[in-house]
Amino acid sequence: MRWASARACVLLLLGGCAAAPERAEPVPDARLVGAAAAPLQVGFLVLDGVYNSELMAPWDVFHHTVFHTQPGMRVFAVGRTKDPVTTFEGLRIAVDYALDEAPPIDVLVVPSAEHNMDSDLDDQRLIRWLTDRGRRAQWLLSVCDGAFLLAEAGLLDDVVCTTFPADIPALRQRYPHLEVHEGLSFVVDGPAITGAGGAKSYDPAMYLVERLYGARVAEGVGKGLVIDWRLADVSHEASTRP
């Protein structure tokens, strides 16, 4: 994997695992903070049965960057086709691009969907797309069971990761080579950010905003969404390994 080059870019249970990575507070990317740069292209993989919370929490956070820094992030939805997607809770979501039409993606976001643990894993076209786009992205972010798709695509092989608390045993069983941690809102290792999901789906997205644009921008995004954001108060791990 091209983790080393990804790190050069702007780019959730500890039992039975190796020692947890040390925590590291994010350092804003000097090339982005206060700098004139192209907006980061943030592609969300939106599948039928996607869960509202896991989709809309990071979507809102990343979209709100445009009100606090220029350029902010450009967010868009990628589906198997351009047909509208129905969320698990029944909302109809428009799709911007089909898989083979999606533009380059700097931040690839995989929110949890109903079949991420079963039939989605058998969709070889989808998995190949994830492998290709994931290796080329500067950052990967999964929420809840989206981690299963990243794992199936081989994108979590060399990193510490997490997922929805109740599904951690299933992730470990299907991918025994992975180092899966628990009891955390999110885990960061290299370019991969994996989150527990649910009401905590805001946390990994807020982390990335602070990492890329600095605390002032993250505070502004938090205030706009009425999130009392303070990274030190959020249970997380961020690896310091090279």
Side-chain angles (χ1 to χ4, degrees):
M1 291 186 189
R2 194 174 50 83
W3 294 137
S5 59
R7 287 190 177 94
C9 296
V10 298
L11 253 278
L12 210 160
L13 337 165
L14 301 176
C17 296
E22 299 177 16
R23 290 190 178 187
E25 300 307 309
V27 177
D29 191 295
R31 294 168 296 176
L32 288 178
V33 179
L40 287 179
Q41 304 296 302
V42 183
F44 282 71
L45 179 63
V46 182
L47 303 177
D48 275 310
V50 66
Y51 295 100
N52 289 351
S53 296
E54 281 80 5
L55 170 62
M56 295 316 303
W59 185 288
D60 281 354
V61 169
F62 292 150
H63 169 72
H64 274 65
T65 59
V66 300
F67 305 117
H68 302 280
T69 187
Q70 289 298 326
M73 293 174 161
R74 174 183 176 253
V75 297
F76 53 88
V78 182
R80 286 186 171 95
T81 70
K82 288 192 68 175
D83 294 336
V85 165
T86 301
T87 73
F88 180 80
E89 295 83 1
L91 291 177
R92 297 277 282 173
I93 303 293
V95 171
D96 298 302
Y97 303 99
L99 293 178
D100 56 359
E101 300 171 344
I105 296 173
D106 299 312
V107 181
L108 176 60
V109 185
V110 185
S112 184
E114 182 180 9
H115 294 294
N116 281 176
M117 297 174 64
D118 44 70
S119 59
D120 288 339
L121 301 177
D122 298 326
D123 185 339
Q124 292 305 304
R125 173 173 172 258
L126 175 66
I127 299 305
R128 285 194 299 269
W129 184 88
L130 279 168
T131 301
D132 175 64
R133 292 307 187 98
R135 287 174 174 169
R136 289 193 277 162
Q138 299 172 21
W139 289 94
L140 305 172
L141 193 156
S142 69
V143 188
C144 189
D145 292 335
F148 283 78
L149 289 178
L150 292 186
E152 189 69 20
L155 299 171
L156 299 181
D157 287 354
D158 302 317
V159 302
V160 179
C161 61
T162 195
T163 188
F164 185 69
D167 294 332
I168 286 176
L171 185 65
R172 287 174 168 163
Q173 181 177 9
R174 184 175 178 107
Y175 308 101
H177 62 288
L178 296 185
E179 184 175 345
V180 186
H181 289 188
E182 62 179 307
L184 301 162
S185 176
F186 64 90
V187 172
V188 184
D189 195 353
I193 307 175
T194 51
K200 296 184 179 297
S201 298
Y202 290 94
D203 292 348
M206 288 294 297
Y207 168 88
L208 186 55
V209 168
E210 182 167 334
R211 176 73 176 266
L212 293 176
Y213 302 104
R216 180 187 60 80
V217 173
E219 181 181 359
V221 171
K223 286 181 178 179
L225 293 172
V226 197
I227 298 172
D228 188 13
W229 173 250
R230 186 172 181 270
L231 179 59
D233 294 337
V234 178
S235 60
H236 72 285
E237 291 179 354
S239 175
T240 58
R241 66 173 114 190

